[in-house]
Amino acid sequence: MIRRALATATLLAGLAAPASALCVGESYLDTMSDDQLDQLAQVVDALPYGEGLTYSATRGDDRLTIVGTMHIYDPRLESIRARVSADVQGADLVILEATATEEQQLRDLITTNPGLIFIVDGPTLPELLDEETWAQLADAASQRSIPGFMAAKMQPWYLSLLLSVPPCAMDDLIDGATGLDKMIASDAEAAGVPVMAIEPFDTLFGLFDEAPIDAQIDMLRINMLAPDMQSAMFVAMLDRYFAEDVGRLWEMGRIAMSDVPGIDPEEGQAMFTEMEEALLFTRNRNWIPVITEATADHDDIVVAVGAAHLIGELGILQLLEDEGWTISRFP
């Protein structure tokens, strides 16, 4: 399972973190067949909370403001930031996927144990891969300002994640431009509102790191199968995120897995399902008790998490509704 989940997660990483506004070109939606578009429309129409980025949830005296974020910078995020600014400033608590504390914990862990992301013993990637594949990877890394000598020593799962960010978005990352999560964290800090993480700092790290080396190599190979397709998906993701059409964004990725060259369509669907469970559903279920516990001491909470976590029967909005919360979308 872990091999499938991780390969799909790296190929489709943009579904949870779309790229910079500089990522332009053909949208993947424009390449889909009429049958695929009809299938997509039917699924999205039946999807709970398939549209919207900002919601309020109330239960008794408790109130939540729920924001669907993306983790990479785009100037259009400023309008969403402004939309929830008053809620952030007036909150008792802001809950994020990770705060500056968790990010520092992760940096400290990597400093003390560089083997988590770098190959410190044994063969490096040029020795593990055939010459053609390594040349493709080295070129892809160079396009993202990652020197070949550094890419050669990266754990395959970590390089896969870096290569899932398109070149058009990498400059923003290098320059320190922040996504909506960090914008909200900055506004909370300025207003003196405490922030907390919704999960341990190493949750996702542990998921990727536990994959055996051959599974990690498979991740790299799959990422090299469809760079043009990956680019078109990022364009579509940007468009659908800012249209607040998150359900279509996510379900597009499910259908797209049947189009990835070199992967059997049934295998592609199985990969997507396993990734969805590992990266979304399991975490969503784990987050609800954290949110509930926070309401014991806080009446007005902002919850800002990746937009894909909001949608569907196992999205946090539906899970909260199942727990007795009243959910309302606000523009």
Side-chain angles (χ1 to χ4, degrees), residues 155-177:
Q155 294 286 358
W157 71 266
Y158 184 64
L159 182 57
S160 291
L161 287 182
L162 294 180
L163 296 184
S164 73
V165 179
C168 54
M170 189 60 74
D171 286 345
D172 283 337
L173 288 180
I174 293 173
D175 292 341

Side-chain angles (χ1 to χ4, degrees), residues 15-304:
L15 288 170
S20 162
L22 295 177
C23 296
V24 296
E26 183 179 45
S27 167
Y28 186 76
L29 286 169
D30 294 333
T31 72
M32 297 176 72
S33 69
D34 290 342
D35 287 344
Q36 287 177 320
L37 291 172
D38 288 343
Q39 176 188 347
L40 180 60
Q42 291 176 18
V43 173
V44 172
D45 287 346
L47 196 66
Y49 301 107
E51 295 183 343
L53 296 174
T54 50
Y55 287 84
S56 64
T58 57
R59 188 174 68 174
D61 295 331
D62 296 323
R63 179 178 183 271
L64 307 174
T65 299
I66 301 170
V67 187
T69 67
M70 72 177 192
H71 310 312
I72 296 177
Y73 177 74
D74 187 292
R76 290 171 290 179
L77 290 173
E78 292 291 352
S79 64
I80 305 171
R81 179 185 192 177
R83 187 191 310 175
V84 299
S85 176
D87 296 287
V88 172
Q89 293 174 21
D92 303 321
L93 176 70
V94 170
I95 299 177
L96 305 166
E97 289 185 52
T99 73
T101 298
E102 284 71 36
E103 291 173 357
Q104 185 60 53
Q105 288 176 321
L106 185 55
R107 286 193 292 268
D108 291 344
L109 179 63
I110 293 171
T111 298
T112 57
N113 186 5
L116 292 173
I117 65 170
F118 291 106
I119 299 172
V120 293
D121 294 305
T124 59
L125 290 181
E127 299 169 287
L128 291 169
L129 298 164
D130 62 86
E131 185 174 344
E132 181 180 357
T133 300
W134 168 244
Q136 291 177 327
L137 286 170
D139 180 63
S142 176
Q143 293 178 32
R144 293 159 175 81
S145 301
I146 303 170
F149 72 88
M150 183 176 294
K153 297 181 180 180
M154 288 179 175
Q155 294 286 358
W157 71 266
Y158 184 64
L159 182 57
S160 291
L161 287 182
L162 294 180
L163 296 184
S164 73
V165 179
C168 54
M170 189 60 74
D171 286 345
D172 283 337
L173 288 180
I174 293 173
D175 292 341
T178 61
L180 186 55
D181 314 70
K182 290 190 177 181
M183 291 177 181
I184 290 173
S186 176
D187 292 344
E189 180 181 1
V193 178
V195 299
M196 65 168 281
I198 202 166
E199 63 188 5
F201 75 96
D202 58 352
T203 299
L204 287 179
F205 192 94
L207 175 64
F208 288 109
D209 184 50
E210 70 182 40
I213 192 69
D214 59 337
Q216 295 183 40
I217 294 294
D218 284 349
M219 283 191 277
L220 281 171
R221 295 186 189 281
I222 289 175
N223 271 359
M224 291 296 100
L225 289 176
D228 292 341
M229 178 180 173
Q230 186 184 59
S231 176
M233 288 180 67
F234 269 98
V235 173
M237 290 169 204
L238 276 174
D239 175 57
R240 290 300 89 204
Y241 177 85
F242 286 106
E244 305 201 12
D245 193 10
V246 183
R248 197 174 314 275
L249 180 161
W250 185 256
E251 293 300 328
M252 175 195 71
R254 188 189 310 276
I255 293 174
M257 283 305 297
S258 296
D259 290 340
V260 178
I263 299 178
D264 178 78
E266 289 188 6
E267 177 73 3
Q269 291 306 302
M271 292 170 71
F272 192 98
T273 298
E274 292 177 1
M275 179 273 297
E276 189 175 47
E277 176 62 38
L279 295 186
L280 288 187
F281 298 160
T282 296
R283 296 168 72 205
N284 290 348
R285 287 188 288 262
N286 291 340
W287 290 354
I288 299 303
V290 176
I291 296 170
T292 301
E293 184 176 346
T295 63
D297 298 315
H298 305 88
D299 297 327
D300 201 330
I301 301 173
V302 172
V303 180

Side-chain angles (χ1 to χ4, degrees), residues 59 313-325 327:
R59 188 174 68 174
E313 294 181 358
L314 293 176
I316 64 169
L317 294 172
Q318 185 62 58
L319 293 176
L320 286 168
E321 183 181 322
D322 294 343
E323 294 286 328
W325 291 83
I327 312 295

